[in-house]
Amino acid sequence: MPATRSYDEVVRNIRGLCEDEHDDIAKMATIACELFQGFEEFNWVGFYRVVDDANLKIGPYQGSHGCIDIPFSNGLCGACARTQETQIVDDVNAIADHIACSASTRSEIVVPVMKDGRLIAVLDIDSDHPAEFTQQDAKQLEAILTASF
Ligand code: SME
């Protein structure tokens, strides 16, 4: 696990590509791509979109297939949607409420995506390495999302 992961280049790329872009799906696709390409320790990067007051549906992502529907009641993505707070799990095998999309995933971070004061999606990142994500990642990812939506 890197002590500090620099998001500078990824932030520059996202800012450059998404400048003046108003389409949320286009921005989600670009952010997922830049994060996935930017960090080899990320094995899945993607968005689950809020489709009603109790359900998430898969949005733009990079990596192997993700499940299509996640209710707010299930998994880490659901917990993030319910609490609107970033979730970090060092060992996904140690928690019961985790939806396994890839058997190789060891740790995960899920960050809420807010727009105009309401939740529109969550950003989910998985890693094959245990304890890959820190509060520093949370801060950086939250800043990217706040600046983008
Ligand atoms: N692990 C997530 C499900 C999504 S996949 O990781 C792509 C969860 O527990 O909500």
Side-chain angles (χ1 to χ4, degrees):
M1 179 182 69
T4 52
R5 201 188 321 276
S6 173
Y7 282 78
D8 292 354
E9 190 181 343
V10 164
V11 167
R12 264 198 308 278
N13 290 347
I14 291 170
R15 200 180 290 149
L17 288 160
C18 292
E19 204 181 10
D20 301 327
E21 180 52 62
H22 297 291
D23 186 285
D24 289 342
I25 301 289
K27 288 189 278 191
M28 289 178 193
T30 303
I31 292 167
C33 176
E34 290 304 319
L35 289 169
F36 186 77
Q37 299 291 335
F39 302 111
E40 63 180 18
E41 57 274 24
F42 296 176
N43 75 303
W44 196 93
V45 180
F47 289 85
Y48 280 91
R49 298 167 300 114
V50 175
V51 288
D52 60 35
D53 58 7
N55 292 286
L56 298 163
K57 193 175 281 287
I58 192 76
Y61 69 96
Q62 302 256 324
S64 60
H65 65 233
C67 53
I68 302 285
D69 292 296
I70 300 180
F72 281 21
S73 54
N74 289 6
L76 292 175
C77 292
C80 181
R82 282 197 309 278
T83 60
Q84 301 188 0
E85 281 174 7
T86 297
Q87 312 287 310
I88 294 176
V89 173
D90 289 345
D91 177 5
V92 295
N93 297 318
I95 62 158
D97 195 16
H98 170 257
I99 303 164
C101 290
S102 160
S104 63
T105 294
R106 297 292 310 280
S107 61
E108 185 158 345
I109 186 169
V110 189
V111 186
V113 183
M114 308 299 293
K115 182 180 184 180
D116 300 330
R118 72 188 174 86
L119 183 79
I120 60 162
V122 301
L123 169 64
D124 181 18
I125 304 179
D126 297 355
S127 178
D128 287 352
H129 307 165
E132 184 61 43
F133 303 101
T134 65
Q135 288 302 327
Q136 191 59 24
D137 292 295
K139 248 175 74 177
Q140 296 285 343
L141 293 166
E142 286 163 6
I144 288 171
L145 297 172
T146 300
S148 301
F149 294 96

